[in-house]
Amino acid sequence: MMGTLKTEPARSRSDLLAPPVAAALGQWPADAPVDVDQVLVAPIDADLADTAAFCAAYGVGLEVSANCVVIAGKRGSETRYAACVVLATTRADVNGVARRALDVRKASFAPMAEAVELTGMEYGGITPIGLPGDWPVLVDARVAATPHVIVGSGVRHSKIALPGPALGALPGARVVEGLARPAQPTA
C-alpha cells in the first residue's frame, strides 16, 4: 500500500509538516477512532509531490492516494470555503454535490494563492488535517472506506499515510456519498 515510502509517526516529525498540520496532530482528540500514532509521515522529493508523479516514483497505487482540493463559492457577499477529499482515481463533483453541501449557487476551485494563504499550507500539499476550523471537510465515502490512504502533509516534501476512516472523523468532516465521480481516462 505504501510502496517504497519510509514512514514514521507524524507527530514526531514536525519538520515534515506544515505548522497547522503539526498543531492539529498535537491536539488530536484522545477519543478519536484512530490513535494519533497511526498517522504516519514520509519524506518525498518535493518535485514529485503531484499525484501521478508521486505514485509512479514511490510505487503507490492511485486507488489509495487521496487529493484534498479547496473549493470556494459565494452566498450573497460571503465567500464560503470547503475542502473535498477524493481518491486520485476520481474527480470531485465541484458544481454538483460539493456546491450543494456548501449551499452556494456556484462553486469552483479556490485560486491557488487564496488556498495557500487561508490554509497556511503549500500548493500541492494541502491536506484535510489542520484546515481552518470553520471549513467543512467533505470526504468522499470511497476515501473513508479505504483501509489506508496517502494524502498531503501541508508541504510538498512529504506525504501522510493514515486509515481512511480517520479522515471522516476529522473536525468539521462529513463523509459524503457520491462526492466524486470516476476520473475520465486521459487520451
Side-chain angles (χ1 to χ4, degrees):
M1 184 294 289
M2 294 188 218
T4 61
L5 293 177
K6 306 230 181 306
T7 60
E8 54 192 298
R11 73 176 174 167
S12 68
R13 291 297 309 268
S14 61
D15 60 310
L16 294 176
L17 307 170
V21 178
L25 291 175
Q27 300 169 359
W28 197 263
D31 63 346
V34 172
D35 187 80
V36 69
D37 289 330
Q38 288 184 278
V39 180
L40 306 174
V41 68
I44 65 164
D45 180 333
D47 291 335
L48 299 172
D50 293 334
T51 305
F54 162 75
C55 287
Y58 293 94
V60 173
L62 289 171
E63 70 281 357
V64 296
S65 183
N67 292 317
C68 179
V69 295
V70 177
I71 63 167
K74 287 200 181 250
R75 181 73 164 183
S77 62
E78 173 192 16
T79 301
R80 297 179 181 181
Y81 296 93
C84 294
V85 185
V86 300
L87 292 175
T89 55
T90 65
R91 296 289 174 253
D93 182 4
V94 174
N95 257 311
V97 177
R99 176 191 58 78
R100 287 189 296 278
L102 203 49
D103 191 26
V104 294
R105 282 178 31 111
K106 184 180 177 206
S108 60
F109 294 106
M112 176 180 58
E114 222 171 86
V116 167
E117 180 183 340
L118 294 171
T119 63
M121 300 179 198
E122 294 177 5
Y123 185 75
I126 293 176
T127 186
I129 301 169
L131 290 172
D134 60 340
W135 285 17
V137 177
L138 308 175
V139 180
D140 185 66
R142 286 174 274 218
V143 174
T146 302
H148 286 88
V149 294
I150 307 289
V151 296
S153 63
V155 294
R156 290 182 62 86
H157 63 272
S158 66
K159 294 284 186 181
I160 286 177
L162 75 168
L167 294 172
L170 290 172
R174 190 166 83 223
V175 176
V176 180
E177 200 66 50
L179 176 62
R181 298 184 210 169
Q184 298 300 319
T186 53

